[in-house]
Each structure stands twice: as C-alpha cells, then as structure tokens.
C-alpha cells in the first residue's frame, strides 16, 4: 500500500469532457485533488450536446433543472433548452471553472490497464499515462445504432444518423425519409416537416407523447435571474419536486401517478390528432412510460401536415432509390435519415479496458452488464463508471444523478486517502446483492410492461433504477465499507495448499 502522504493527492484520469467529465474535474479539485488529466476524443467538450445538432434538438427536462446545482443559468431561452445553448452552457461553466484548459483534446484513450496497483493508459496520440484512479465519464448515449436493414449501403441519396447530422444538405423541397419515432425523431420531425418537400416517417412502433408548455423567457425574465443563484436554485428545486412526485413515481410503482400520466398521454393523442385512421396508427399497445415517455409539442402537428406521411408497413429493405416496404412499394427518396437511437450498453468501448489479472471488460460483462451501485466494477480497483448500468430514473435529470454519484465517489476516494480502503473495489458479492435488489424493485415498474426500448439489456431486463429518487439519494449518501474489498488482493496472504 502507498504511504499516506502519497495518498493525499492521488492522480486521476477523467475520460470524456461531457457533462459528467466537467463535473468530475470540478468536484475533484474541490476535494483538494489537483493531479487531474482529462482526456477527450473530440476537439470540443460537451459530449452528447456537441454531437447532436439535428434540427429541433432540445432537452426534455426543464432547463432550470438541467443545470449543475452549483451553477444555475439565467440565460435559458426556453423552458426546454435548445441543444446549442446547452452546449454553450457547458462550455461556459468549463471555462469559468478553469476546466477547459485542463482538457487534452483529440486524445482518445485506447487502452486502460490495471498493473501493479496503478492504471496505465495509452492514448491515440501514442502517449502513456500512469494514475491512481480512472473515472470513465463517457456517457450513455453516444454510440449511434445503425439499423440492420438489408441494402442500407446501397442507397444512392444522402443518408445519415441523427447524431451525425449533415448540415451541408438543404432539405428544402426534397423527398426525405426518416426511420424511427423515438424522442430524437419526434423533435426532428417537428422541424423538418416544415422544410422537406415531402417527409415519410417510417414508424415501427408508436410512442406515447405528452405536451408540456414550452414557454420562452423574455429579457426581463432573464434579467430578474441574473446574479441570483438562490432564485435559480429555488426554480430548479420546484421542477425537481414536480418530476420526483409525478413521472418518477409513475414509472416506479405508483398506480395513482401512473393512471394520471396515462390519462394525460391518451388525452393528448385524442385531442391532437383528428383523423381516426392516423390516430390508430399512432396509438401504442403498451403501457404509458414503458418506453421513455416523449415530451413533445410539435410531432403530432407535423405528421398531420399535407407533405408528411406516416408509413407503418414494415421496412423490407433499402434499395438505391429509397425504402422498400413489405407491401412491395418503393418509397423513392433523396435523403434518408436514421433516427434509430444508440447502443446504450457500450459505455467506454472500444477502449481496451483490463482490470486485475488482465481481466477484460468484455470478460467481466460476458454474462451481464452490471455494476455495484452503477459505479464500481469488481475486479476493476480504483475505477469508476459515471452513469453506469441502472443509473437512469425515467425522465429525470442526469445531471442531478451525476452529482449524487460524484459525491459518493469522492467519499470512496477519501476512504482510500485515509487508508481505510486499500483499493476502491466493490466485492463480487456486493455487486450480486445490489443487482438482486434491483431485480426485486423492477417487478413494480412500468418498464417490464412488454415493450422494446433502449432501457432493456440483452436479456430484456431494464437497466434502470427501479426505486424513487429519494431512495437513490439516500443509498448513495454513505459508502458501506463491508461492500468493498478490505485487503488489497496483491497484499493478501497467499493461500496455503491444504496439508
Ligand atoms: P430511441 O428512443 O432508441 O428510438 C429509436 C427509434 O428507431 C425507435 O422508434 C425504433 O423503433 C426505431 N428503430 C430502430 N431500429 C429500427 C429498424 N431497424 N427499423 C425501424 N425502426 C427502427 O432513440 P432516440 O435517439 O430517439 O432517443 C434516445 C434517447 O436520447 C432519448 O430517450 C433521450 O433520452 C435522448 P422501435 O420503437 O424500436 O420499434
């Protein structure tokens, strides 16, 4: 074990400079840890908000709640902030806090191996780094999922994924197709329905949608909030109170809240879509909230425009001219947009991550993608996975979740600094206990309602937090020492062969 002086200022590598990476850099420094290296694969920070620039991109959590608790933002233009201003907010906070200057841009971590009590990192620039701790802040939804449809590459027009928007192509007057009707597609359709000559929406599964008024903030509104972090915090708390007691409860077992949420979504569809045939096409056959509930005010209006068609016949293949559906019709297109979501279980891949004894992350996760408290992986000492498996709580702010995780993680690092933990490594038993507890809670949730969604892992189990927000906060208040390895494996007495 290192001596206590060497442990006072551990070296930490933070992988990723998105919302959680920026947060970690700030929180580590507040805890007196100064030896921090932030490695970012791209040339800008911002993560998901840097990558998603499609028309209509916005956050579906109210902006005043989708901020760091220590830095409210008086400048939001709308209740639901637009992608570009969220990106600007993160950029601004990182600049103010001196984080931007600490980021090594265009430097992806390619390998990360635990060797002799330290993490050794190799980057795309060919540099090597040795640190005590690694924080993987690589985000959940950043590996675009391309659909496995025959002939996808044969399409002769322009084609792109929503997370790789091609701003060089003007959609005005063009025949555009979009595959998918998730949160991203609904936002994009609301915008491109106005510009495309004709838009065909290829819908495999309809979604439940609710409207929440998106008020815009005037200059006077903003002026009232400038310099008033107390007021901003109060607004954030009000939104958090509402979300915790409505959406979060509705998806995790409250029958009353779920009935209300269902009524709201069904009423929205009934009131918004006049044509009964179209309404039927847009009516899901699974419980409200089973897939992530879509908060959107533009989709239903867009699909009722004369230049927009909702196509529900299954896609058979893609050909050079467009999309061929199973009824034999070829939908000729100039542009095909893939709003087909992300691979949420890839986390820090394709990084070559190896823990103790050379165990790879693929080996550790060969049976199931699981963690202890979403954050720690047995066999991977002093390694933290921000927003890891079972973090999301339905439609809640991931920033709030990250802040709770960050504070829990710093308590663990403190235990290591004081020498109370030889390494920060959850035991396999603790991980199994934690995951059994999650499975138990999952039975009461709406996510086991029989739908397909990115919430589900390869076995069809929801990788969500199945209890309340309050429970999440309470359980991450203090680490339970017994759930962690107490003797560093390399220092444990070697087992004697039986006599
Ligand atoms: P989602 O919510 O995963 O939506 C993906 C959409 O793409 C969904 O409608 C899928 O239909 C559809 N899809 C995926 N593959 C295919 C194929 N092969 N054929 C037809 N349709 C397909 O991703 P989003 O980007 O919208 O949202 C992700 C999150 O980002 C969102 O929840 C917010 O948190 C931010 P399906 O429903 O599977 O039938």
């Amino acid at each position: 074990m290192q001596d206590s002086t060497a442990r006072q200022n551990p070296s930490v590598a933070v992988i990723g400079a998105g919302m959680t990476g920026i947060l970690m850099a700030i929180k580590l420094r507040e805890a007196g840890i100064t030896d921090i290296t932030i490695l970012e694969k791209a040339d800008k920070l911002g993560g998901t908000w840097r990558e998603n620039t499609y028309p209509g991109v916005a956050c579906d959590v109210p902006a005043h709640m989708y901020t760091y608790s220590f830095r409210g933002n008086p400048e939001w233009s709308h209740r639901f902030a637009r992608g570009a201003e969220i990106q600007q907010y993160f950029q601004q906070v990182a600049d103010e806090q001196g984080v931007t200057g600490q980021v090594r841009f265009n430097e992806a971590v390619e390998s990360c191996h635990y060797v002799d009590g330290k993490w050794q990192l190799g980057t795309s620039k060919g540099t090597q780094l040795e640190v005590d701790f690694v924080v993987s802040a690589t985000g959940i939804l950043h590996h675009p999922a391309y659909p496995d449809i025959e002939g996808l590459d044969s399409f002769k027009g322009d084609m792109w994924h929503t997370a790789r928007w091609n701003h060089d192509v003007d959609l005005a007057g063009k025949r555009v197709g979009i595959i998918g009707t998730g949160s991203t597609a609904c936002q994009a359709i609301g915008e491109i329905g106005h510009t495309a000559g004709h838009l065909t929406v290829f819908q495999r599964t309809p979604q439940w949608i609710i409207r929440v008024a998106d008020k815009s903030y005037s200059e006077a509104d903003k002026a009232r909030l400038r310099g008033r972090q107390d007021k901003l915090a109060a607004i954030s708390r009000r939104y958090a109170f509402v979300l915790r007691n409505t959406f979060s409860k509705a998806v995790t077992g409250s029958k009353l809240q779920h009935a209300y949420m269902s009524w709201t979504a069904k009423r929205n569809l009934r009131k918004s879509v006049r044509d009964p045939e179209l309404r039927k096409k847009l009516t899901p056959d699974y419980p409200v909230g089973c897939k992530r509930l879509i908060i959107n005010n533009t989709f239903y209006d867009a699909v009722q425009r004369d230049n927009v068609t909702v196509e529900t016949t299954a896609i058979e293949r893609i050909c050079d001219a467009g999309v061929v559906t199973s009824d034999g019709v070829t939908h000729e297109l100039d542009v095909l947009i893939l709003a087909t979501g992300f691979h949420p279980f890839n986390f820090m891949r394709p990084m070559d991550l190896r823990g103790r004894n050379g165990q790879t992350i693929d080996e550790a996760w060969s049976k199931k993608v699981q963690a202890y408290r979403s954050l720690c992986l047995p066999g991977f000492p002093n390694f933290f996975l921000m927003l890891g498996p079972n973090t999301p709580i339905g439609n809640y702010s991931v920033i709030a979740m990250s802040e709770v995780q960050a504070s829990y993680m710093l308590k663990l690092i403190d235990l290591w600094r004081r020498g109370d933990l030889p390494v920060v490594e959850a035991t396999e038993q603790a991980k199994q206990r934690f995951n059994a507890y999650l499975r138990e809670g999952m039975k009461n949730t709406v996510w086991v309602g029989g739908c397909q969604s990115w919430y589900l892992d390869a076995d069809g189990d929801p990788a969500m937090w199945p209890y309340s927000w309050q429970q999440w906060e309470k359980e991450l208040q203090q680490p339970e020492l017994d759930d962690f390895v107490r003797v560093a494996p390399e220092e444990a007495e070697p087992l004697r062969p039986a006599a």
Side-chain angles (χ1 to χ4, degrees), residues 48-49 52 54 58 60 141 145-149 161-163 178-187 202-207 286 291-294 314-315 338-344 394-396 398 451-455:
T48 200
W49 299 106
N52 285 279
Y54 60 83
D60 60 4
L141 301 170
Y146 288 85
D148 185 15
I149 303 175
H161 189 280
T162 47
I178 183 164
I179 302 180
T181 46
S183 308
T184 301
C186 286
Q187 290 182 342
F202 294 95
Q203 174 190 272
R204 186 165 66 179
T205 317
Q207 300 259 7
Y286 53 82
K291 281 175 181 285
R292 185 183 166 100
L293 185 64
I294 297 183
I315 296 173
L338 309 173
T340 42
F342 300 87
H343 293 292
N395 290 61
Y396 202 76
V398 281
C451 67
Q452 275 301 319
S453 81
W454 67 264
Y455 286 174

Side-chain angles (χ1 to χ4, degrees), residues 146-449:
Y146 288 85
D148 185 15
I149 303 175
E150 186 195 324
L152 190 66
D153 292 335
S154 64
F155 181 59
K156 290 279 185 284
D158 291 302
M159 180 173 75
W160 60 81
H161 189 280
T162 47
R164 303 281 181 270
W165 198 268
N166 183 349
H167 292 277
D168 294 337
V169 177
D170 183 3
L171 299 181
K174 299 237 165 73
R175 296 166 303 172
V176 180
I178 183 164
I179 302 180
T181 46
S183 308
T184 301
C186 286
Q187 290 182 342
I189 290 163
E191 291 293 316
I192 59 182
H194 292 278
T195 41
H198 188 272
L199 174 66
T200 308
V201 177
F202 294 95
Q203 174 190 272
R204 186 165 66 179
T205 317
Q207 300 259 7
W208 288 115
I209 300 174
I210 66 164
R211 280 180 200 258
V212 179
D214 182 20
K215 74 176 186 191
S216 65
Y217 296 120
S218 65
E219 269 312 303
D221 292 332
K222 295 179 196 172
R224 268 194 296 278
L225 294 174
R226 289 191 185 118
R228 295 301 304 269
Q229 286 295 318
D230 56 335
K231 274 194 181 179
L232 288 161
I235 300 173
S236 175
R237 277 198 301 274
R238 275 205 297 277
Y239 278 123
F241 179 83
V242 173
L243 282 185
R244 283 169 202 174
N245 291 295
T246 54
F247 290 128
S248 304
K249 285 195 173 163
V251 289
T252 56
S254 162
K255 291 205 167 25
L256 184 67
Q257 288 304 340
H258 189 260
Y260 178 66
M261 189 170 82
S262 300
W263 177 81
T264 312
K266 287 174 186 173
R267 182 171 182 273
N268 183 30
L269 177 57
R270 206 171 53 244
K271 294 262 178 204
S272 306
V273 180
R274 292 178 302 276
D275 173 15
E277 216 167 291
L278 178 61
R279 203 185 308 138
K280 199 164 155 220
K281 279 186 180 178
L282 297 173
T283 305
D285 62 358
Y286 53 82
V288 175
C290 182
K291 281 175 181 285
R292 185 183 166 100
L293 185 64
I294 297 183
I295 319 276
N296 182 285
N297 302 333
T298 57
F299 175 77
Y300 284 149
D301 297 339
V303 293
Q304 292 177 86
R305 292 172 58 89
D306 292 340
N307 65 328
V308 180
T309 312
V310 178
E311 181 55 68
T312 54
T313 310
I315 296 173
E316 193 179 86
R317 63 191 167 85
I318 310 278
C319 66
D320 57 350
V323 172
V324 183
T325 41
S326 63
D327 51 7
V329 174
T330 301
H331 303 261
E332 293 193 3
L333 301 169
D334 303 309
V335 178
L336 180 58
I337 296 164
L338 309 173
T340 42
F342 300 87
H343 293 292
F345 296 97
N346 277 9
F347 291 105
M348 54 286 190
R349 276 75 162 266
M351 183 168 85
D352 169 21
L353 174 63
R354 289 164 199 259
R356 242 182 323 103
N357 306 326
Q359 185 193 26
T360 66
I361 187 66
D362 288 341
E363 285 162 358
W365 278 347
S366 61
K367 291 207 183 92
K368 205 148 179 83
V369 176
Q370 287 183 331
Y372 169 75
R373 297 216 171 278
S374 304
L375 210 62
C376 303
L377 306 168
F380 292 77
N382 291 6
F383 182 94
F384 299 107
L385 176 54
M386 292 294 286
L387 299 179
N390 299 91
T391 297
I393 314 183
N395 290 61
Y396 202 76
S397 164
V398 281
I399 302 187
M401 297 175 210
S402 293
E403 289 193 4
V404 173
Q405 288 185 334
S407 120
Y408 177 79
M409 185 188 312
L410 284 164
K411 285 177 184 155
L412 285 169
I413 294 181
D414 258 350
L415 288 166
W416 180 88
R417 286 162 103 186
R418 290 205 304 261
D420 292 343
L421 285 177
V423 283
V424 179
E425 181 183 353
T427 64
E428 179 61 28
Q429 294 87 324
K431 184 197 88 179
Q432 286 182 14
R433 230 179 4 256
F434 177 68
N435 283 278
Y437 167 66
L438 292 176
R439 265 197 307 283
E440 195 50 40
M442 223 54 91
K443 292 177 189 159
N444 301 321
T445 70
V446 68
W447 306 307
V448 291

